[in-house]
Amino acid sequence: MKILIVDDEKNVRVSIEKFLKLENFNCAGAENGLSAKRMIEQEVFSAAVVDLRMPGMDGLELIRWINEKGIRLPVIMISAHGEIQDAVEAMKLGAKDYIVKPFDPEELILRLKRVIEDQKLRVQVEVDRKDSADEGEIIGESSRMKEIKQLVKKVAVMPSTVLITGESGVGKEVIARAIHSNSPRSDGPFIGVNIGGIPETLIE
């Protein structure tokens, strides 16, 4: 498991890294949210420990970006005593936990293990639900249709935009609905918009 430590104070990053390595965690450090963004885009982390106040891009901005990108990265926020309200705001934005400075390293390790295990359970529940769920309204048992169904399942779990092309009437919206129903966003609404039916003056 690899943990991302985001703090503008180098001594804090190094201290946390030393304690985590004793628990056999791999670690990587970033001095602010901007550096953390680049690392998250290039590597996979099991969790992140993020300082609330940092120059350039602070912890709240980083969590907003993680949410906007749909990245599954449990975050523990580090805050000072006077920043409790901001830490609560971070929880509302998606942080899984927060810990107040100065903190016991053992407490941080316990919380890290908890959020990582919680994330694993969430993913497993979603996988089980997808395996047992109906594959949307895709009808057909030919080898090609089976390939399409498998492809739908693969792309559905990705936080990426999917382009579906084809002639009118081939079932593009059916595929789009199947992707939605198999995605982590399936609890939300699927909104179909017929761009061709909207006048040019209203499209904006």
Side-chain angles (χ1 to χ4, degrees), residues 40-93:
I40 291 169
E41 289 173 333
Q42 296 171 2
E43 301 180 58
V44 175
F45 296 95
S46 298
V49 179
V50 180
D51 190 25
L52 185 61
R53 296 297 181 200
M54 294 178 290
M57 183 181 194
D58 65 18
L60 291 179
E61 291 177 283
L62 180 60
I63 290 180
R64 286 192 186 97
W65 176 80
I66 289 172
N67 281 342
E68 288 170 0
K69 293 295 182 181
I71 298 170
R72 297 191 175 196
L73 177 64
V75 173
I76 293 180
M77 184 66 68
I78 305 174
S79 67
H81 281 289
E83 300 168 343
I84 299 299
Q85 190 58 45
D86 288 329
V88 172
E89 179 65 21
M91 296 284 284
K92 292 179 181 178
L93 289 172

Side-chain angles (χ1 to χ4, degrees), residues 24-37:
N24 298 316
F25 286 104
N26 291 322
C27 299
E31 67 272 16
N32 56 39
L34 294 173
S35 296
K37 275 178 60 177

Side-chain angles (χ1 to χ4, degrees), residues 54-172:
M54 294 178 290
M57 183 181 194
D58 65 18
L60 291 179
E61 291 177 283
L62 180 60
I63 290 180
R64 286 192 186 97
W65 176 80
I66 289 172
N67 281 342
E68 288 170 0
K69 293 295 182 181
I71 298 170
R72 297 191 175 196
L73 177 64
V75 173
I76 293 180
M77 184 66 68
I78 305 174
S79 67
H81 281 289
E83 300 168 343
I84 299 299
Q85 190 58 45
D86 288 329
V88 172
E89 179 65 21
M91 296 284 284
K92 292 179 181 178
L93 289 172
K96 298 302 180 186
D97 203 348
Y98 72 90
I99 190 166
V100 178
K101 297 177 182 178
F103 52 83
D104 182 351
E106 291 294 333
E107 180 67 19
L108 175 61
I109 289 168
L110 286 173
R111 296 191 186 203
L112 264 176
K113 289 180 176 178
R114 185 176 64 196
V115 298
I116 291 171
E117 185 61 29
D118 181 64
Q119 180 72 5
K120 287 181 179 178
L121 290 173
R122 288 174 183 271
V123 171
Q124 187 59 52
V125 167
E126 290 179 4
V127 169
D128 292 343
R129 178 172 61 83
K130 288 182 179 65
D131 287 343
S132 61
D134 181 65
E135 298 171 334
E137 299 178 10
I138 302 176
I139 300 172
E141 293 300 325
S142 68
S143 59
R144 185 57 181 148
M145 289 306 296
K146 288 179 180 178
E147 288 177 16
I148 292 173
K149 291 178 183 181
Q150 289 300 315
L151 183 59
V152 163
K153 287 185 176 181
K154 286 181 181 179
V155 301
V157 297
M158 299 178 182
S160 305
T161 300
V162 179
L163 174 65
I164 305 166
T165 62
E167 297 177 1
S168 178
V170 298
K172 296 187 295 295

